[in-house]
Amino acid sequence: MPVRVAALPRDPALYQRVVDIPLTAEERRRVRRRLAAPDGEEVWLELPTGTILRPGQILAVVEGTAYRVVAAEEDVLLVFPLSPGQGVGIGHLIGNLHRDVVVEGDVAIVLWDPVLADRLRRLGVRVERARRPFGGDVPAPHGH
């Protein structure tokens, strides 16, 4: 019988086991669908529109087993500013493009975008493409 998730646990019970469900940034926005957990359990998401799942979030606790969201590996752009000033400019550019950014030490990480990578290279910024978990969000549709 599938696990139905219509609301996220606010205060999860103690659990003996954790099953991680890897989801990409885009998949963490899709909250009305079926997921297959690695242990074979079927998890049906029926969460309110607009809900965004976050890495580390517990979806459900069933018979002592917690089902937890983790960031799946995906293509990302690693951005290495040469100075704090350049980092501010890069942050401004990425923000104007409404991209989510995760900062780890001296590296800014965004979802892979070949146009952004090319633009940053032309500005003299060192960038690399990598495959790793991305803890940020995918850009949401918006208007000005």
Side-chain angles (χ1 to χ4, degrees):
M1 177 132 193
V3 176
R4 290 186 180 269
V5 180
L8 297 172
R10 292 186 187 270
D11 187 21
L14 293 175
Y15 38 87
Q16 295 86 27
R17 187 169 82 107
V18 176
V19 174
D20 288 336
I21 301 177
L23 300 172
T24 65
E26 185 174 336
E27 291 170 334
R28 293 192 304 267
R29 286 185 162 280
R30 295 180 46 223
V31 293
R32 293 184 185 212
R33 65 195 183 111
R34 294 180 192 185
L35 297 172
D39 67 349
E41 189 72 63
E42 192 171 70
V43 179
W44 292 9
L45 297 181
E46 300 171 347
L47 297 166
T49 300
T51 301
I52 299 173
L53 300 172
R54 306 275 180 219
Q57 202 162 27
I58 301 295
L59 292 175
V61 179
V62 179
E63 297 177 5
T65 299
Y67 293 89
R68 177 175 61 190
V69 174
V70 295
E73 284 196 357
E74 53 191 313
D75 289 332
V76 296
L77 179 65
L78 305 177
V79 183
F80 301 90
L82 297 174
S83 68
Q86 188 181 55
V88 169
I90 291 166
H92 181 76
L93 172 63
I94 292 170
N96 275 345
L97 295 172
H98 300 275
R99 302 289 195 277
D100 202 22
V101 62
V102 174
V103 177
E104 292 181 5
D106 294 337
V107 180
I109 306 165
V110 296
L111 288 172
W112 173 249
D113 179 338
V115 175
L116 177 60
D118 183 58
R119 190 167 176 184
L120 290 169
R121 281 188 194 104
R122 283 187 279 129
L123 293 172
V125 179
R126 187 177 131 229
V127 297
E128 293 176 12
R129 185 176 187 168
R131 186 148 182 87
R132 61 192 275 181
F134 179 71
D137 294 330
V138 71
H142 70 281
H144 288 270

